[in-house]
Amino acid sequence: MNIGQEILKNLKEEITESEYNRYIKKLVYDVKKSTADEAIYYAPNALVVNWIKNKYAEKIAHLFEVQTHQKVNIKITLKNGVDTQVKTKKVVEVKQGNSLLNPSHSFSNFMVGGSNQFAHAAVKSISEKPGILYNPLFIYGGVGLGKTHLMQAAGNVYQNEGKIVIYTTVEQFLNDFIRHVRNKTMERFQKKYRECDVLLIDDIQFLSNKEGIQEEFFHTFEALKGAGKQIILTADKHPKKIGGLEKRLQSRFEHGLVADIQPPELETKIAIIEKKCEINKVVLSKEIVNYIATVIESNVREIEGILSKLHAYSQLMHIDIDLEFTKNVLKDQMAEKRENLTMDTITKVVAKDLNIKPSEICSKGRSKNIVYARRIAIYICRELTQNTMPQLAQYFGMKDHTAISHTIKKINDLIKDDEDFRVKIEELSNKITTASS
Ligand code: ADP
Ligand code: MG
């Protein structure tokens, strides 16, 4: 046996048998090309390459060092040395940029629980009686809670009945508007939006402070409503809370029915995961489904990311998905999400949003608005980065970790009691994650 294989045998002692059989056994040591300070292994595919690099390369290097008393660089590569980046395909891709509806956004694929029961019932009823019951229907709630899905579920029903459905985001609506203004074809724009049977507009909060488009939107709205055509709108918050909206629009939005969606309870999350598995033909044990449901807080979109990763890995590596494997993938997913995020970025975004200086957040300043900003920044750092409480205490100039845990508890209480505050924190977190990616 050559040294390369021997090292792998030693590694077997340190990891579980299933891990060994899955990944390590597949490695082939290149006796010819390896040198005293570089060990070269070949893996069967790019996924194994990445997996080994992330999880085992360090251990292998350590074992080499113990054996040879020399630092050895471990190179894991494909036989032909091609790109080793792992690329996972999204299981579900929502078509954006045109008014196509995603056919998998159906009522039968939508799991109902206490958190979304009201919104679901409202959408369901208007899908049966468009334009009569609630017009407009306004759905609001946090990110990834199923607003777009629900709205499109109604859209799919209408479309199957042969109705002309337009689904668009405010952004697309605005771009379309600008294009028609530029081409001097406004009549076509107006005709398009006023002659449809159903208008679905997603993410209405982006109308905020855009006067020109609000004016145009108002007339579209009036024309459709006057003709008894159903309008469905979504936003991340209640119409009252969307700043920078013309009064007349705000009152129109509230005129029909306003329904909220809350984060799903554990049971609903489990049902959603099971449904997504069924749709995407992923087989997971009950134990794994429960595990994912407890780890993912609320954003259902994250669940899909995890399932698609699990699916891709298991397919490419020809293995069944077990709990250990799932934990690893989830750990990777969380790390990936947070990798680029620093406390500096978070502090900067929070400071800018609350109109103070970043340095004030980290200062000993005790004025009310500084303390408020500091608490928020600490909370978000705790949520989105891997810094420990003592590290946070040091960065924010707090006494010790108990001061940090005290702050976090305060913010958690506020989030529970105050809807506005929850929205604020969510918005900031979104801003931060987009700023860092
Ligand atoms: P939002 O528009 O509220 O940000 P989406 O409608 O885009 O969220 O939902 C994000 C993902 O989660 C979608 O793939 C959607 O199918 C899924 N999802 C959300 N809620 C549910 C649910 N109750 N049942 C099934 N899938 C859901
Ligand atoms: Mg959406």
Side-chain angles (χ1 to χ4, degrees), residues 293-309:
T294 41
V295 171
I296 297 298
E297 288 281 315
S298 65
N299 187 339
V300 181
R301 205 167 292 143
E302 273 187 50
I303 292 178
E304 303 204 298
I306 288 159
L307 291 184
S308 76
K309 240 185 206 161

PDB file of all heavy atoms in Angstrom, residues 293-309:
ATOM      1  N   ALA A 293     -37.155  21.603   9.209  1.00  0.00           N
ATOM      2  CA  ALA A 293     -38.222  22.510   9.638  1.00  0.00           C
ATOM      3  C   ALA A 293     -37.850  23.270  10.902  1.00  0.00           C
ATOM      4  O   ALA A 293     -38.223  24.428  11.068  1.00  0.00           O
ATOM      5  CB  ALA A 293     -39.525  21.739   9.848  1.00  0.00           C
ATOM      6  N   THR A 294     -37.105  22.637  11.785  1.00  0.00           N
ATOM      7  CA  THR A 294     -36.759  23.353  13.013  1.00  0.00           C
ATOM      8  C   THR A 294     -35.585  24.310  12.798  1.00  0.00           C
ATOM      9  O   THR A 294     -35.525  25.354  13.419  1.00  0.00           O
ATOM     10  CB  THR A 294     -36.391  22.397  14.175  1.00  0.00           C
ATOM     11  OG1 THR A 294     -35.596  21.343  13.636  1.00  0.00           O
ATOM     12  CG2 THR A 294     -37.607  21.831  14.841  1.00  0.00           C
ATOM     13  N   VAL A 295     -34.692  23.949  11.887  1.00  0.00           N
ATOM     14  CA  VAL A 295     -33.531  24.813  11.676  1.00  0.00           C
ATOM     15  C   VAL A 295     -33.897  26.076  10.901  1.00  0.00           C
ATOM     16  O   VAL A 295     -33.435  27.175  11.217  1.00  0.00           O
ATOM     17  CB  VAL A 295     -32.399  24.047  10.950  1.00  0.00           C
ATOM     18  CG1 VAL A 295     -31.291  24.998  10.543  1.00  0.00           C
ATOM     19  CG2 VAL A 295     -31.852  22.964  11.858  1.00  0.00           C
ATOM     20  N   ILE A 296     -34.745  25.916   9.874  1.00  0.00           N
ATOM     21  CA  ILE A 296     -35.141  27.082   9.083  1.00  0.00           C
ATOM     22  C   ILE A 296     -36.193  27.855   9.856  1.00  0.00           C
ATOM     23  O   ILE A 296     -37.225  27.323  10.228  1.00  0.00           O
ATOM     24  CB  ILE A 296     -35.724  26.642   7.722  1.00  0.00           C
ATOM     25  CG1 ILE A 296     -34.665  25.907   6.912  1.00  0.00           C
ATOM     26  CG2 ILE A 296     -36.269  27.836   6.944  1.00  0.00           C
ATOM     27  CD1 ILE A 296     -33.466  26.734   6.574  1.00  0.00           C
ATOM     28  N   GLU A 297     -35.924  29.135  10.080  1.00  0.00           N
ATOM     29  CA  GLU A 297     -36.810  29.928  10.915  1.00  0.00           C
ATOM     30  C   GLU A 297     -38.160  30.159  10.255  1.00  0.00           C
ATOM     31  O   GLU A 297     -39.176  29.678  10.717  1.00  0.00           O
ATOM     32  CB  GLU A 297     -36.154  31.277  11.216  1.00  0.00           C
ATOM     33  CG  GLU A 297     -34.991  31.165  12.174  1.00  0.00           C
ATOM     34  CD  GLU A 297     -35.459  31.044  13.605  1.00  0.00           C
ATOM     35  OE1 GLU A 297     -36.348  31.806  13.981  1.00  0.00           O
ATOM     36  OE2 GLU A 297     -34.932  30.182  14.330  1.00  0.00           O
ATOM     37  N   SER A 298     -38.167  30.904   9.153  1.00  0.00           N
ATOM     38  CA  SER A 298     -39.474  31.198   8.574  1.00  0.00           C
ATOM     39  C   SER A 298     -39.455  31.263   7.061  1.00  0.00           C
ATOM     40  O   SER A 298     -40.387  30.826   6.409  1.00  0.00           O
ATOM     41  CB  SER A 298     -39.998  32.521   9.132  1.00  0.00           C
ATOM     42  OG  SER A 298     -39.157  33.564   8.703  1.00  0.00           O
ATOM     43  N   ASN A 299     -38.394  31.800   6.479  1.00  0.00           N
ATOM     44  CA  ASN A 299     -38.376  32.013   5.032  1.00  0.00           C
ATOM     45  C   ASN A 299     -38.434  30.691   4.273  1.00  0.00           C
ATOM     46  O   ASN A 299     -37.483  29.925   4.253  1.00  0.00           O
ATOM     47  CB  ASN A 299     -37.106  32.786   4.666  1.00  0.00           C
ATOM     48  CG  ASN A 299     -37.102  33.189   3.213  1.00  0.00           C
ATOM     49  OD1 ASN A 299     -37.796  32.603   2.393  1.00  0.00           O
ATOM     50  ND2 ASN A 299     -36.317  34.195   2.905  1.00  0.00           N
ATOM     51  N   VAL A 300     -39.580  30.462   3.630  1.00  0.00           N
ATOM     52  CA  VAL A 300     -39.781  29.185   2.954  1.00  0.00           C
ATOM     53  C   VAL A 300     -38.840  29.029   1.761  1.00  0.00           C
ATOM     54  O   VAL A 300     -38.478  27.933   1.375  1.00  0.00           O
ATOM     55  CB  VAL A 300     -41.253  29.052   2.513  1.00  0.00           C
ATOM     56  CG1 VAL A 300     -41.498  27.725   1.827  1.00  0.00           C
ATOM     57  CG2 VAL A 300     -42.166  29.195   3.706  1.00  0.00           C
ATOM     58  N   ARG A 301     -38.441  30.170   1.212  1.00  0.00           N
ATOM     59  CA  ARG A 301     -37.551  30.101   0.059  1.00  0.00           C
ATOM     60  C   ARG A 301     -36.240  29.390   0.403  1.00  0.00           C
ATOM     61  O   ARG A 301     -35.660  28.697  -0.415  1.00  0.00           O
ATOM     62  CB  ARG A 301     -37.278  31.515  -0.458  1.00  0.00           C
ATOM     63  CG  ARG A 301     -36.895  31.541  -1.924  1.00  0.00           C
ATOM     64  CD  ARG A 301     -36.942  32.928  -2.490  1.00  0.00           C
ATOM     65  NE  ARG A 301     -38.289  33.454  -2.560  1.00  0.00           N
ATOM     66  CZ  ARG A 301     -38.600  34.728  -2.321  1.00  0.00           C
ATOM     67  NH1 ARG A 301     -37.665  35.564  -1.964  1.00  0.00           N
ATOM     68  NH2 ARG A 301     -39.842  35.124  -2.412  1.00  0.00           N
ATOM     69  N   GLU A 302     -35.802  29.567   1.636  1.00  0.00           N
ATOM     70  CA  GLU A 302     -34.570  28.899   2.051  1.00  0.00           C
ATOM     71  C   GLU A 302     -34.714  27.394   2.034  1.00  0.00           C
ATOM     72  O   GLU A 302     -33.765  26.666   1.769  1.00  0.00           O
ATOM     73  CB  GLU A 302     -34.204  29.336   3.470  1.00  0.00           C
ATOM     74  CG  GLU A 302     -33.379  30.579   3.498  1.00  0.00           C
ATOM     75  CD  GLU A 302     -32.915  30.879   4.899  1.00  0.00           C
ATOM     76  OE1 GLU A 302     -32.375  29.974   5.557  1.00  0.00           O
ATOM     77  OE2 GLU A 302     -33.113  32.016   5.347  1.00  0.00           O
ATOM     78  N   ILE A 303     -35.919  26.940   2.333  1.00  0.00           N
ATOM     79  CA  ILE A 303     -36.156  25.500   2.333  1.00  0.00           C
ATOM     80  C   ILE A 303     -35.875  24.946   0.946  1.00  0.00           C
ATOM     81  O   ILE A 303     -35.255  23.895   0.786  1.00  0.00           O
ATOM     82  CB  ILE A 303     -37.621  25.207   2.749  1.00  0.00           C
ATOM     83  CG1 ILE A 303     -37.807  25.579   4.226  1.00  0.00           C
ATOM     84  CG2 ILE A 303     -37.978  23.746   2.481  1.00  0.00           C
ATOM     85  CD1 ILE A 303     -39.205  25.383   4.752  1.00  0.00           C
ATOM     86  N   GLU A 304     -36.296  25.682  -0.059  1.00  0.00           N
ATOM     87  CA  GLU A 304     -36.090  25.204  -1.420  1.00  0.00           C
ATOM     88  C   GLU A 304     -34.616  25.127  -1.768  1.00  0.00           C
ATOM     89  O   GLU A 304     -34.186  24.195  -2.443  1.00  0.00           O
ATOM     90  CB  GLU A 304     -36.771  26.136  -2.401  1.00  0.00           C
ATOM     91  CG  GLU A 304     -38.228  26.243  -2.084  1.00  0.00           C
ATOM     92  CD  GLU A 304     -39.024  26.653  -3.277  1.00  0.00           C
ATOM     93  OE1 GLU A 304     -38.769  27.764  -3.764  1.00  0.00           O
ATOM     94  OE2 GLU A 304     -39.861  25.866  -3.720  1.00  0.00           O
ATOM     95  N   GLY A 305     -33.852  26.097  -1.311  1.00  0.00           N
ATOM     96  CA  GLY A 305     -32.417  26.092  -1.564  1.00  0.00           C
ATOM     97  C   GLY A 305     -31.785  24.829  -0.985  1.00  0.00           C
ATOM     98  O   GLY A 305     -30.956  24.176  -1.620  1.00  0.00           O
ATOM     99  N   ILE A 306     -32.216  24.489   0.215  1.00  0.00           N
ATOM    100  CA  ILE A 306     -31.647  23.320   0.874  1.00  0.00           C
ATOM    101  C   ILE A 306     -32.039  22.037   0.150  1.00  0.00           C
ATOM    102  O   ILE A 306     -31.212  21.174  -0.109  1.00  0.00           O
ATOM    103  CB  ILE A 306     -32.104  23.276   2.341  1.00  0.00           C
ATOM    104  CG1 ILE A 306     -31.367  24.374   3.097  1.00  0.00           C
ATOM    105  CG2 ILE A 306     -31.834  21.923   2.965  1.00  0.00           C
ATOM    106  CD1 ILE A 306     -32.038  24.778   4.350  1.00  0.00           C
ATOM    107  N   LEU A 307     -33.311  21.949  -0.207  1.00  0.00           N
ATOM    108  CA  LEU A 307     -33.747  20.737  -0.909  1.00  0.00           C
ATOM    109  C   LEU A 307     -33.007  20.573  -2.225  1.00  0.00           C
ATOM    110  O   LEU A 307     -32.604  19.468  -2.584  1.00  0.00           O
ATOM    111  CB  LEU A 307     -35.256  20.775  -1.170  1.00  0.00           C
ATOM    112  CG  LEU A 307     -36.146  20.658   0.058  1.00  0.00           C
ATOM    113  CD1 LEU A 307     -37.609  20.600  -0.355  1.00  0.00           C
ATOM    114  CD2 LEU A 307     -35.791  19.436   0.882  1.00  0.00           C
ATOM    115  N   SER A 308     -32.806  21.677  -2.935  1.00  0.00           N
ATOM    116  CA  SER A 308     -32.161  21.533  -4.230  1.00  0.00           C
ATOM    117  C   SER A 308     -30.700  21.115  -4.058  1.00  0.00           C
ATOM    118  O   SER A 308     -30.173  20.337  -4.829  1.00  0.00           O
ATOM    119  CB  SER A 308     -32.301  22.788  -5.076  1.00  0.00           C
ATOM    120  OG  SER A 308     -31.439  23.766  -4.625  1.00  0.00           O
ATOM    121  N   LYS A 309     -30.085  21.611  -3.011  1.00  0.00           N
ATOM    122  CA  LYS A 309     -28.706  21.203  -2.742  1.00  0.00           C
ATOM    123  C   LYS A 309     -28.637  19.727  -2.367  1.00  0.00           C
ATOM    124  O   LYS A 309     -27.815  18.973  -2.884  1.00  0.00           O
ATOM    125  CB  LYS A 309     -28.157  22.037  -1.587  1.00  0.00           C
ATOM    126  CG  LYS A 309     -26.964  22.817  -2.042  1.00  0.00           C
ATOM    127  CD  LYS A 309     -26.319  23.554  -0.924  1.00  0.00           C
ATOM    128  CE  LYS A 309     -25.618  24.739  -1.550  1.00  0.00           C
ATOM    129  NZ  LYS A 309     -25.322  25.777  -0.610  1.00  0.00           N
TER     130      LYS A 309
END
